[in-house]
Amino acid sequence: MMKTLLAALALTAVGVSPALAQTYTNPNTITVVDGGETTSDINVTGSLGNITGMTLSLNGLSHTYPDDLVFGVLNQSLGLGFVFFSGAGGSTDISGVNLTFSDAASSQLPESFVGGAITSGTYLPSNYGQYEFSFFDNATAFADFSGFSANGLWTLYVDDVFPADGGTVLDGWTLTFTTDGVGGVPEPAAWGMMIGGFALAGFALRRRQKVSVAYAA
């Protein structure tokens, strides 16, 4: 009887893995290239298990015309990108705002020339301009990264799509993952598929047609 009980407890312990919260930051200042593109990397190592949820934070964002900004994140190992910010905030200057993007937030960023200025807070992904990565698969939510290891190279792409204004992300950016805590799973081998994309155009922004929003790219 005792052996049976111990065996049952052992099976329960093996079958239940606590969710783990893991945070990774690149604190280096990102200078927004006026009318151009810049990138910043976070190389995630030591993450246990597969992603069950994630958020992304921009730490200290300033810009004199936030409507010009497009932000996307690319998981290099998966060849999977997600544009989570575009067409927001209009022409109102922002200075040192801290923005976290989460699938669980209650509202999006204010749409340009409709919803007012951007303020610090936690927001749903807000890709009003409907930008995409041209040479990689595109996620529609952070949840699309779930089920994969967080380990590997993550790249933040920052595009200023119209010249004349500039800005910075003073304290860099942060990725926060929750994982299932189960032993590591090898990252997918997608390098061959990605080489052409790197050589051709990096982010290579494109927009799908959107009738309801006039957006100058």
Side-chain angles (χ1 to χ4, degrees), residues 107-183:
S107 62
Q108 293 181 296
L109 289 171
E111 187 172 4
S112 288
F113 312 112
V114 175
I118 294 173
T119 57
S120 294
T122 300
Y123 297 94
L124 290 164
S126 307
N127 181 17
Y128 295 111
Q130 297 196 12
Y131 283 89
E132 296 180 323
F133 285 88
S134 292
F135 300 104
F136 304 98
D137 292 332
N138 283 273
T140 58
F142 289 116
D144 291 349
F145 295 99
S146 293
F148 299 101
S149 172
N151 291 319
L153 186 63
W154 297 75
T155 300
L156 181 74
Y157 285 79
V158 185
D159 268 70
D160 184 307
V161 297
F162 195 84
D165 291 89
T168 60
V169 188
L170 184 63
D171 297 314
W173 63 296
T174 299
L175 286 169
T176 299
F177 302 98
T178 54
T179 70
D180 55 22
V182 178

Side-chain angles (χ1 to χ4, degrees), residues 51 74-81 136-137 144-154 186-191 193-194:
I51 297 168
L74 175 70
N75 180 310
Q76 305 278 12
S77 300
L78 296 175
L80 179 63
F136 304 98
D137 292 332
D144 291 349
F145 295 99
S146 293
F148 299 101
S149 172
N151 291 319
L153 186 63
W154 297 75
E187 293 84 18
W191 296 105
M193 179 183 68
M194 295 190 296

